[in-house]
Structures are given as C-alpha cells and as structure tokens.
Amino acid sequence: AQSVAQPEDQVNVAEGNPLTVKCTYSVSGNPYLFWYVQYPNRGLQFLLKYITGDNLVKGSYGFEAEFNKSQTSFHLKKPSALVSDSALYFCAVRDLSNTGKLIFGQGTTLQVKP
Amino acid sequence: EAGVAQSPRYKIIEKRQSVAFWCNPISGHATLYWYQQILGQGPKLLIQFQNNGVVDDSQLPKDRFSAERLKGVDSTLKIQPAKLEDSAVYLCASSPLRGPYGYTFGSGTRLTVV
C-alpha cells in the first residue's frame, strides 16, 4: 500500500534560517509526490509536486523539495524562513492504483520565530 | 478561475442530529473528493466521485454517512445521526483527471458535535 510518513510533529526554526520538513514515502512503482500547506481555519494549499525529471522541484512562496529515490524521501526546504511560513505542512502521495487518490502524512507544524 | 466552494464554514450540532455539507468544485473538474480531517491528523479520504459515479467509498462509514454528486457537478455529504467522534473539518477537493495533478481544496467545513 502507498503511504507517506512525516517523522516530526513540529519543527522550530528562527526567521532567516534555512528550514527542512521531512517526508519519506513507500510506493510501488514511480511516485507522484506533493506538498500542501494549511493555515489556521483554511483549506489545504498546493505548494509543489514531483512527477518526474529533476530531483529538485521548485514551488510556491520560495519553497522547494528534493526527491531522493535511494532514500525514498521528499523533504521540503526553504533557504530563509519567514514568520509567515508558520503553518501545518502535509506531504502526500498519489495512489496510482485504480482510484488515484491522495494519501496524506500526519502533518508537521512549522513554527518560525522572529 | 473560481476555487472550490464549500458551505457552511462552521456547524455545531448535538449528537444524534443530522447535518449536511455542500461542495461546488471547479468548473470542468471531473473528479471530486471528500476528506475528513480530525484535529492533529492528516486528511483521510471518505469518498471519491468520477463525474457522478462513486470510485472509492471504502472508508466512508456507510451506516451514518452518505454522499451524492448531482449531475456530476455539486456534491453533498450527509451525516445522520452524528456522533461525537465526527467532530472534524470536512474538506472537499476537485481535480481534472486521475493523472499527475494535485487537487484544489475548498476551505472546509468545521463540524463540532456536542
């Protein structure tokens, strides 16, 4: 079965420092991987996706993610964190069985302190 | 383009009452999803429609939850009777195809069962 894991419930980082939010996946075949962000009382917003091609994927708001097939990881990164980046982040994998549904990790809360 | 519309934004009901949520997906999106997001967890798929047919409802508690998609456009999700553990945010999402696309999510309906 397809799954993703986010090993950290919360990540704390100082404003201006680089940030990493970790995600590992388990799929059969080639993965379609996604990152979403959720601000309080809002729906999920798409950040970026990996389908194929370059292992470094660039997305919205200066975020990027690195696909690593050997480590089955898809970590979200940003070179310089902003206080406004504080939110809940979800990694997801698209189930390429007959339904194509998105399967989400449990989420990581990012706290950026001034 | 207009986003995914959901209503109501908030709902408080007593246990054993019934409640209904409404979703209007992005125009032309064939696939519609209802997810349940319990506080502190990642979203869990309840039901997936392709046009007006059900593709996946394996995690829908069918003894109390029901959903329909009228004419392949709008959708309603109903809970009857509600239980305390149904307190969650109910997210609707749509996507154009089952291909390598991310979903567009609505803002969600926060349900509190007391």
Side-chain angles (χ1 to χ4, degrees):
Chain A
Q2 323 262 18
S3 66
V4 291
Q6 296 179 241
E8 303 156 316
D9 289 337
Q10 181 159 329
V11 170
N12 297 308
V13 64
E15 187 175 32
N17 284 359
L19 69 88
T20 299
V21 182
K22 296 180 179 177
C23 172
T24 58
Y25 65 89
S26 174
V27 302
S28 53
N30 295 322
Y32 290 173
L33 295 161
F34 300 80
W35 275 102
Y36 282 82
V37 61
Q38 187 175 36
Y39 297 98
N41 299 314
R42 302 286 296 275
L44 279 75
Q45 296 178 35
F46 170 79
L47 277 179
L48 51 79
K49 66 181 178 184
Y50 172 82
I51 305 301
T52 187
D54 290 341
N55 290 340
L56 187 63
V57 179
K58 294 189 183 298
S60 306
Y61 312 120
F63 283 93
E64 57 190 27
E66 186 172 11
F67 173 69
N68 188 315
K69 189 172 183 177
S70 63
Q71 296 185 3
T72 63
S73 67
F74 188 56
H75 300 333
L76 182 70
K77 300 182 179 183
K78 188 173 182 181
S80 179
L82 300 173
V83 172
S84 57
D85 293 329
S86 298
L88 183 56
Y89 290 80
F90 289 99
C91 182
V93 63
R94 189 113 192 208
D95 180 356
L96 297 180
S97 64
N98 60 336
T99 65
K101 68 185 178 187
L102 272 180
I103 299 170
F104 287 87
Q106 71 270 31
T108 298
T109 299
L110 173 66
Q111 191 75 253
V112 181
K113 298 182 178 179
Chain B
E1 63 181 1
V4 175
Q6 287 189 249
S7 66
R9 286 298 308 276
Y10 305 93
K11 191 74 177 178
I12 301 174
I13 62 172
E14 295 182 350
K15 59 184 179 182
R16 292 187 289 272
Q17 285 186 326
S18 63
V19 64
F21 312 128
W22 174 83
C23 173
N24 180 235
I26 290 176
S27 177
H29 279 193
T31 310
L32 184 147
Y33 314 82
W34 282 102
Y35 278 80
Q36 180 192 56
Q37 185 180 12
I38 293 173
L39 186 65
Q41 299 180 18
K44 181 185 80 173
L45 181 71
L46 291 175
I47 189 167
Q48 176 181 343
F49 292 95
Q50 187 83 17
N51 296 310
N52 60 350
V54 175
V55 174
D56 184 350
D57 63 357
S58 58
Q59 297 197 78
L60 187 73
K62 299 181 186 62
D63 58 334
R64 299 184 299 105
F65 286 65
S66 64
E68 61 179 1
R69 189 177 184 193
L70 305 173
K71 300 180 181 178
V73 182
D74 293 7
S75 178
T76 56
L77 176 70
K78 297 179 181 178
I79 307 175
Q80 182 179 12
K83 293 185 175 181
L84 295 177
E85 59 261 37
D86 298 331
S87 295
V89 176
Y90 291 85
L91 295 163
C92 179
S94 68
S95 68
L97 290 169
R98 288 200 298 117
Y101 300 103
Y103 300 177
T104 301
F105 282 86
S107 296
T109 296
R110 181 177 296 277
L111 174 67
T112 302
V113 182
V114 298

